[in-house]
Short mmCIF file of all heavy atoms in Angstrom, two decimals:
data_model
loop_
_atom_site.label_atom_id
_atom_site.label_comp_id
_atom_site.label_asym_id
_atom_site.label_seq_id
_atom_site.Cartn_x
_atom_site.Cartn_y
_atom_site.Cartn_z
N PHE B 259 -8.29 -13.28 -6.81
CA PHE B 259 -9.61 -13.21 -6.19
C PHE B 259 -9.38 -12.96 -4.69
O PHE B 259 -8.49 -13.57 -4.08
CB PHE B 259 -10.31 -14.58 -6.38
CG PHE B 259 -11.59 -14.76 -5.59
CD1 PHE B 259 -12.79 -14.39 -6.14
CD2 PHE B 259 -11.56 -15.28 -4.31
CE1 PHE B 259 -13.98 -14.53 -5.41
CE2 PHE B 259 -12.73 -15.44 -3.58
CZ PHE B 259 -13.94 -15.08 -4.13
N CYS B 261 -11.06 -13.06 -0.98
CA CYS B 261 -12.19 -13.53 -0.20
C CYS B 261 -12.53 -12.49 0.87
O CYS B 261 -11.69 -12.12 1.68
CB CYS B 261 -11.88 -14.86 0.47
SG CYS B 261 -13.24 -15.46 1.53
N VAL B 262 -13.76 -12.01 0.84
CA VAL B 262 -14.17 -10.97 1.76
C VAL B 262 -14.41 -11.51 3.16
O VAL B 262 -14.70 -10.73 4.10
CB VAL B 262 -15.45 -10.23 1.26
CG1 VAL B 262 -15.21 -9.61 -0.09
CG2 VAL B 262 -16.63 -11.20 1.22
N GLU B 263 -14.26 -12.78 3.31
CA GLU B 263 -14.47 -13.38 4.65
C GLU B 263 -13.13 -13.71 5.33
O GLU B 263 -12.86 -13.24 6.41
CB GLU B 263 -15.29 -14.66 4.51
CG GLU B 263 -15.52 -15.42 5.80
CD GLU B 263 -16.18 -14.56 6.87
OE1 GLU B 263 -17.03 -13.73 6.51
OE2 GLU B 263 -15.79 -14.68 8.05
N CYS B 264 -12.27 -14.49 4.65
CA CYS B 264 -11.01 -14.87 5.25
C CYS B 264 -9.85 -13.99 4.77
O CYS B 264 -8.73 -14.09 5.25
CB CYS B 264 -10.69 -16.34 5.00
SG CYS B 264 -10.35 -16.72 3.27
N HIS B 265 -10.13 -13.16 3.78
CA HIS B 265 -9.18 -12.19 3.28
C HIS B 265 -7.89 -12.79 2.72
O HIS B 265 -6.83 -12.18 2.68
CB HIS B 265 -8.82 -11.17 4.37
CG HIS B 265 -10.05 -10.41 4.79
ND1 HIS B 265 -10.49 -9.30 4.20
CD2 HIS B 265 -10.98 -10.73 5.77
CE1 HIS B 265 -11.63 -8.92 4.75
NE2 HIS B 265 -11.94 -9.77 5.69
N ARG B 266 -8.03 -14.01 2.21
CA ARG B 266 -6.92 -14.60 1.47
C ARG B 266 -7.06 -14.24 0.00
O ARG B 266 -8.18 -13.97 -0.47
CB ARG B 266 -6.96 -16.14 1.62
CG ARG B 266 -6.49 -16.62 2.96
CD ARG B 266 -6.52 -18.12 3.06
NE ARG B 266 -7.91 -18.61 3.01
CZ ARG B 266 -8.25 -19.88 3.26
NH1 ARG B 266 -7.32 -20.78 3.54
NH2 ARG B 266 -9.51 -20.25 3.18
N ILE B 268 -6.69 -15.63 -3.87
CA ILE B 268 -6.63 -16.88 -4.64
C ILE B 268 -6.28 -16.57 -6.09
O ILE B 268 -6.86 -15.66 -6.69
CB ILE B 268 -7.98 -17.62 -4.52
CG1 ILE B 268 -8.13 -18.12 -3.07
CG2 ILE B 268 -8.06 -18.78 -5.51
CD1 ILE B 268 -9.48 -18.67 -2.77
N GLY B 299 -15.41 -12.04 -3.36
CA GLY B 299 -16.49 -12.95 -3.05
C GLY B 299 -16.08 -13.88 -1.92
O GLY B 299 -15.28 -13.50 -1.07
N LEU B 300 -16.65 -15.08 -1.93
CA LEU B 300 -16.32 -16.06 -0.91
C LEU B 300 -15.50 -17.20 -1.51
O LEU B 300 -15.90 -17.77 -2.51
CB LEU B 300 -17.58 -16.62 -0.28
CG LEU B 300 -18.34 -15.74 0.71
CD1 LEU B 300 -19.53 -16.53 1.28
CD2 LEU B 300 -17.43 -15.29 1.82
N CYS B 301 -14.44 -17.54 -0.85
CA CYS B 301 -13.62 -18.70 -1.31
C CYS B 301 -14.36 -19.97 -0.95
O CYS B 301 -15.38 -19.98 -0.21
CB CYS B 301 -12.25 -18.67 -0.65
SG CYS B 301 -12.24 -19.14 1.06
N ALA B 302 -13.86 -21.09 -1.47
CA ALA B 302 -14.53 -22.38 -1.26
C ALA B 302 -14.63 -22.72 0.24
O ALA B 302 -15.66 -23.16 0.71
CB ALA B 302 -13.78 -23.49 -2.00
N ASP B 303 -13.54 -22.51 0.95
CA ASP B 303 -13.51 -22.83 2.38
C ASP B 303 -14.59 -22.04 3.15
O ASP B 303 -15.28 -22.57 3.99
CB ASP B 303 -12.13 -22.51 2.97
CG ASP B 303 -11.06 -23.47 2.47
OD1 ASP B 303 -11.42 -24.47 1.82
OD2 ASP B 303 -9.87 -23.22 2.74
N CYS B 304 -14.67 -20.76 2.85
CA CYS B 304 -15.61 -19.91 3.59
C CYS B 304 -17.05 -20.25 3.22
O CYS B 304 -17.94 -20.13 4.06
CB CYS B 304 -15.29 -18.44 3.39
SG CYS B 304 -13.75 -17.98 4.22
N GLN B 305 -17.28 -20.62 1.99
CA GLN B 305 -18.61 -21.09 1.63
C GLN B 305 -18.96 -22.34 2.41
O GLN B 305 -20.07 -22.46 2.95
CB GLN B 305 -18.70 -21.41 0.12
CG GLN B 305 -18.61 -20.19 -0.78
CD GLN B 305 -18.55 -20.64 -2.23
OE1 GLN B 305 -19.51 -21.14 -2.78
NE2 GLN B 305 -17.39 -20.46 -2.86
N THR B 321 -8.22 -16.30 9.36
CA THR B 321 -6.96 -16.75 8.79
C THR B 321 -5.93 -15.60 8.68
O THR B 321 -4.73 -15.84 8.84
CB THR B 321 -7.16 -17.31 7.40
OG1 THR B 321 -7.93 -16.38 6.65
CG2 THR B 321 -7.86 -18.64 7.49
ZN1 ZN N 459 -12.33 -17.24 2.44
#
Side-chain angles (χ1 to χ4, degrees):
Chain B
F259 171 90
C261 178
V262 300
E263 176 58 35
C264 68
H265 299 274
R266 285 180 294 189
I268 291 171
L300 284 184
C301 74
D303 290 350
C304 289
Q305 290 174 69
T321 51

